Amino acid sequence: MAKELVFYTNPMSRGRIVRWMLEEVGAPYRTQVVQYGPEMKSDDYLAINPMGKVPAIRHGDVVVTECAAICAYLADAFPEAGLAPPATARGAYYRWLFFAAGPFEAATTDRMLKALPSAEQEAMVGYGKAQNVVDTLAHALTNTDYVAGERFSAADVYVGSHVQWGMDMTGMLEKRPVFVDYWARLRGREAYLRAGELDDAIMGN
């Protein structure tokens, strides 16, 4: 019997990234919407994620939190979807998946909060200079359709979501042609469109 796959989310959260990944995977899953406030901090949900945050997944007895980790886990758990490169060719895949989860998100969040480090503090933070983070990602996306190589992968779900978030949701990422073109290649994917419709429908209820 297949393991039950449960998706804990709220449509007004980073859960939209995981929804997109789940739709790319194509495996059946059950959605459990968790409301902000007491429900997200309840004992029942804290048993899933002690941080009291969404998203999270439970696959059989395995619980995974953190969007990048969930994307990587799902790509491995459902290899038939072809969302991860072969194990011997995952250098760029891991690099950019976790670059977005670490330096990129930290730098863009600090920029949004107007909390960028001073020149003296840059050596103390993981990303160093925020502009270098943006330039590094732009260089990685130059002359390639997808961030980890010639094929779409779970890394594109995660990196692409951050590019879209930075350009369109917060305005913290400049709309360079390389970023605009990259997102244009991703946003028409059937799984992305389907995921958005599902989350929008929940918000409309």
Side-chain angles (χ1 to χ4, degrees), residues 107-194:
T108 52
T109 299
D110 283 356
R111 179 176 284 177
M112 181 174 63
L113 297 175
K114 296 180 170 51
L116 290 173
S118 66
E120 293 75 18
Q121 294 170 327
E122 286 173 354
M124 300 169 59
V125 296
Y127 61 81
K129 186 185 292 290
Q131 192 59 49
N132 288 349
V133 174
V134 176
D135 292 344
T136 297
L137 182 59
H139 184 265
L141 293 172
T142 301
N143 299 322
T144 184
D145 285 345
Y146 302 111
V147 72
E150 297 180 355
R151 293 182 56 189
F152 176 87
S153 73
D156 293 295
V157 172
Y158 193 71
V159 174
S161 294
H162 278 280
V163 167
Q164 187 269 339
W165 177 76
M167 289 195 304
D168 300 335
M169 301 300 292
T170 68
M172 292 298 107
L173 182 64
E174 56 206 69
K175 292 188 175 182
R176 299 186 191 184
V178 67
F179 296 138
V180 173
D181 292 347
Y182 176 60
W183 178 240
R185 286 191 290 276
L186 303 184
R187 69 182 185 183
R189 292 185 65 85
E190 291 183 6
Y192 173 77
L193 297 173
R194 191 164 58 246

Side-chain angles (χ1 to χ4, degrees), residues 25-50:
V25 164
Y29 64 93
R30 175 169 64 85
T31 300
Q32 179 69 51
V33 176
V34 185
Q35 299 299 335
Y36 287 103
E39 184 178 357
M40 205 170 286
K41 305 301 182 183
S42 68
D43 289 343
D44 285 347
Y45 188 65
L46 291 176
I48 298 296
N49 186 356

Side-chain angles (χ1 to χ4, degrees), residues 75-76 79 82-94 151:
D76 285 346
L83 294 169
T88 55
R90 290 191 182 180
Y93 170 77
Y94 286 132
R151 293 182 56 189

